[in-house]
Amino acid sequence: MEKYINIIDLSHSLGYTVSGLIIFIIGKFAYKLLHPKINVQQELVEKDNFAFILSYVGYFTALIIVIGGTIVGESYDFATDIMLIFVYGILGIALLLIAAWISNQLILTKFDLKKEIITDKNEGSGIIEAAIYIANGLILYGALIGESATLLNGISTFLIYWIIGNFVLIIASKIFTSWIRYDIHTEIENDNVAAGISFAGAILAIGIITMNAILDPFVNWTTTLVDISIQTVLGCILLPIIRLFADKILLPGRKLTDEIINQEKPNVGAGLIEAFAYVAAAILITWSI
């Protein structure tokens, strides 16, 4: 049996898994600590607040992505690996929660995203916040895949990548809302779930492209910034083209804008098609570059 099963490797894998689960639990308590006014149990069970459920699941999806990055990143000895899982995992939890707050202030600036989710049960807002969490999880995952000479160097690089990633996410989101043919703020505030899904797809696409740029082996900061800039600009150029593609190919005979905002009941399916087109295009870009 020892020929086929390495007990030491198996015990290490178990240790990584348990560490990841502990980080997950810490993430749950951290969320409650930073959102003292939100009664999670009440929102999930008593109010059946689906908007909150979307956001909450998005947060934990992002957390799992970050935990994955801490585990599959550069490996050292077992004790060092466990220590790094906890250091980067806990730091990742803090950065996810801070990023959501920053994005709520700078991406959708005309209303309070948390109020829309908790008070108004706005499902479009819930899925946008979920996308913000997941996009940040992808950015942090990209920042974790790599080798650092020292722990301090690794943490500083991790933080800088996170700052760059969020800057790109905010700028690209602003560009997206500037060329879209309707006021995304108004539509989201009017509980247009289709518009929320569409915008969430664009945010995820930007997160995927940014993660891919960060994943490249680090040479120097100039090279990194150039790579991120090129891929971000390429993504911003392609998003409108992909939207046109979705109009003509995925939804022939119809206009996405009409289906999303000019219907008595916005077409959620059309929003999902548009979101899929953005995410699919982002994945194609990462495979091609």
Side-chain angles (χ1 to χ4, degrees), residues 147-167:
E147 185 175 354
S148 300
T150 65
L151 177 60
L152 182 60
N153 180 255
I155 291 175
S156 61
T157 303
F158 186 59
L159 290 171
I160 293 171
Y161 272 144
W162 173 76
I163 292 169
I164 293 171
N166 274 274
F167 178 79

Side-chain angles (χ1 to χ4, degrees), residues 21-185:
L21 290 174
I22 293 171
I23 296 296
F24 192 87
I25 294 169
I26 293 172
K28 176 184 176 181
F29 285 110
Y31 184 94
K32 294 179 69 175
L33 183 65
L34 267 70
H35 300 90
K37 295 182 180 180
I38 298 177
N39 187 324
V40 174
Q41 187 76 7
Q42 189 177 65
E43 297 297 331
L44 292 176
V45 180
E46 296 176 23
K47 292 185 178 180
D48 295 336
N49 187 343
F50 190 59
F52 175 74
I53 292 171
L54 288 169
S55 170
Y56 199 54
V57 170
Y59 166 70
F60 284 113
T61 301
L63 181 54
I64 283 293
I65 293 171
V66 173
I67 291 171
T70 66
I71 294 174
V72 304
E74 187 67 22
S75 181
Y76 302 92
D77 60 89
F78 178 67
T80 301
D81 288 346
I82 295 296
M83 183 267 291
L84 292 177
I85 288 173
F86 277 94
V87 169
Y88 286 114
I90 292 172
L91 183 57
I93 290 168
L95 295 180
L96 281 178
L97 293 169
I98 294 170
W101 182 83
I102 293 173
S103 298
N104 288 349
Q105 304 299 314
L106 298 179
I107 291 181
L108 293 174
T109 58
K110 296 181 180 179
F111 56 81
D112 185 343
L113 200 57
K114 271 284 185 267
K115 175 181 175 297
E116 290 292 317
I117 293 170
I118 301 301
T119 304
D120 298 341
K121 298 183 179 181
N122 186 327
E123 295 173 8
S125 295
I127 199 166
I128 288 174
E129 185 162 72
I132 290 170
Y133 278 128
I134 295 171
N136 268 274
L138 294 171
I139 291 168
L140 293 174
Y141 179 90
L144 284 166
I145 304 301
E147 185 175 354
S148 300
T150 65
L151 177 60
L152 182 60
N153 180 255
I155 291 175
S156 61
T157 303
F158 186 59
L159 290 171
I160 293 171
Y161 272 144
W162 173 76
I163 292 169
I164 293 171
N166 274 274
F167 178 79
V168 168
L169 191 65
I170 291 165
I171 295 300
S173 297
K174 294 293 185 184
I175 294 172
F176 175 86
T177 55
S178 69
W179 61 252
I180 202 75
R181 294 181 181 178
Y182 51 86
D183 186 343
I184 190 70
H185 291 85

Side-chain angles (χ1 to χ4, degrees), residues 182-279:
Y182 51 86
D183 186 343
I184 190 70
H185 291 85
T186 300
E187 295 301 323
I188 298 301
E189 197 165 16
N190 289 336
D191 297 344
N192 187 334
V193 179
I197 292 173
S198 169
F199 189 43
I203 290 172
L204 282 177
I206 296 163
I208 291 168
I209 292 170
T210 306
M211 176 196 69
N212 185 65
I214 293 174
L215 275 172
D216 291 338
F218 181 81
V219 179
N220 54 60
W221 284 114
T222 301
T223 303
T224 297
L225 291 173
V226 169
D227 285 346
I228 293 173
S229 299
I230 290 173
Q231 294 194 39
T232 301
V233 169
L234 180 61
C236 290
I237 291 172
L238 286 179
L239 284 182
I241 297 173
I242 291 302
R243 194 174 197 277
L244 180 63
F245 173 85
D247 250 340
K248 302 298 183 182
I249 306 299
L250 298 179
L251 202 68
R254 299 285 183 179
K255 294 290 185 182
L256 281 171
T257 300
D258 288 340
E259 292 297 312
I260 291 173
I261 68 167
N262 294 329
Q263 304 290 317
E264 183 178 349
K265 182 179 180 181
N267 188 335
V268 174
L272 185 59
I273 286 174
E274 185 171 358
F276 163 76
Y278 292 145
V279 172

